[in-house]
Amino acid sequence: DAKTTQPTSMDCAEGRAANLPCNHSTISGNEYVYWYRQIHSQGPQYIIHGLKNNETNEMASLIITEDRKSSTLILPHATLRDTAVYYCIVRASNTGKLIFGQGTTLQVKP
Amino acid sequence: GAGVSQSPSNKVTEKGKDVELRCDPISGHTALYWYRQSLGQGLEFLIYFQGNSAPDKSGLPSDRFSAERTGGSVSTLTIQRTQQEDSAVYLCASSPQGFHSGNTIYFGEGSWLTVV
């Protein structure tokens, strides 16, 4: 299974874009990149996922490099409620299970 | 529509007792997952069910842990002879057609287990 590397923590000013990086240099060609977040004491919340192309939904945008070895999750206008731990995960191609790392703790500050 | 439902939401048990945690996946989802998260830690994969295939039990920490999925829907995670280190939140998740890695996995809110 591909492993991911994320910064331990990041700060972002409220109203600004939050850009969360993730390295997954050993990703295989048929493995997707998933992003989840976990707000204290709640279950993980799905944000977005992608394979090769950049993706956008109502929550965020996902930018995947052409070589697929890294990606960036973009929250375009961060709010205080976006303070959470953000997990970048590569989905195992044989079993489909998600293997979580330690994630990035994003602190949105007023 | 209903999401992944877990019960009980909180459970306090004495050391040495057995506990059962229940998960109702989203209707129609063929894949079901159990994870564990100890206080301040990341999510630890436990077990994965996909349709009628043999479950992936590679994450179960000891033989005190077992899980069943009846009729391809509801799942029960059983912990026998609980120990204090079993205290954690146990999270269940489900997804449609789990072997297709492009499908979304949805999590429940978890069952908080405290062993005293």
Side-chain angles (χ1 to χ4, degrees):
Chain A
D1 296 346
K3 299 290 191 292
T4 62
T5 304
Q6 299 177 254
T8 303
S9 63
M10 291 182 64
D11 290 342
C12 177
E14 188 179 18
R16 298 285 188 150
N19 297 284
L20 291 90
C22 179
N23 287 322
H24 31 79
S25 58
T26 60
I27 193 171
S28 299
N30 61 348
E31 291 179 319
Y32 285 73
V33 178
Y34 280 76
W35 283 84
Y36 280 78
R37 72 180 182 185
Q38 189 173 29
I39 297 170
H40 183 61
S41 301
Q42 298 181 18
Q45 178 189 21
Y46 166 80
I47 301 173
I48 200 167
H49 73 278
L51 182 63
K52 296 179 181 178
N53 299 322
N54 298 336
E55 302 288 343
T56 296
N57 63 19
E58 65 277 6
M59 289 183 67
S61 295
L62 174 61
I63 309 298
I64 302 174
T65 59
E66 191 170 347
D67 63 8
R68 302 210 325 122
K69 293 185 177 181
S70 65
S71 61
T72 301
L73 178 74
I74 301 172
L75 307 178
H77 305 287
T79 71
L80 298 178
R81 288 177 294 179
D82 292 323
T83 292
V85 179
Y86 287 77
Y87 295 98
C88 169
I89 305 155
V90 172
R91 181 104 176 249
S93 58
N94 55 345
T95 67
K97 65 190 179 189
L98 294 173
I99 304 298
F100 286 79
Q102 293 304 307
T104 296
T105 299
L106 176 68
Q107 181 73 47
V108 180
K109 298 185 175 181
Chain B
V4 177
S5 177
Q6 294 188 245
S7 61
S9 55
N10 284 284
K11 175 74 175 178
V12 179
T13 189
E14 292 181 351
K15 178 181 174 181
K17 301 275 188 172
D18 297 351
V19 296
E20 287 188 350
L21 306 175
R22 176 187 169 104
C23 173
D24 284 272
I26 294 172
S27 178
H29 282 191
T30 59
L32 187 147
Y33 311 76
W34 283 99
Y35 288 81
R36 174 172 75 170
Q37 188 172 32
S38 301
L39 189 64
Q41 301 298 310
L43 281 84
E44 175 188 6
F45 167 78
L46 297 178
I47 188 168
Y48 162 57
F49 296 90
Q50 169 54 41
N52 295 321
S53 302
D56 177 352
K57 303 180 181 180
S58 60
L60 294 178
S62 76
D63 58 9
R64 296 187 296 105
F65 288 73
S66 62
E68 291 184 342
R69 188 177 186 194
T70 55
S73 181
V74 172
S75 177
T76 302
L77 177 68
T78 301
I79 308 172
Q80 296 178 309
R81 306 181 301 282
T82 53
Q83 304 295 313
Q84 288 185 329
E85 60 264 29
D86 298 334
S87 295
V89 59
Y90 289 83
L91 291 154
C92 179
S94 71
S95 77
Q97 300 174 358
F99 277 109
H100 182 272
S101 66
N103 285 314
T104 300
I105 298 177
Y106 297 93
F107 284 81
E109 292 304 312
S111 291
W112 291 80
L113 175 66
T114 303
V115 181
V116 297

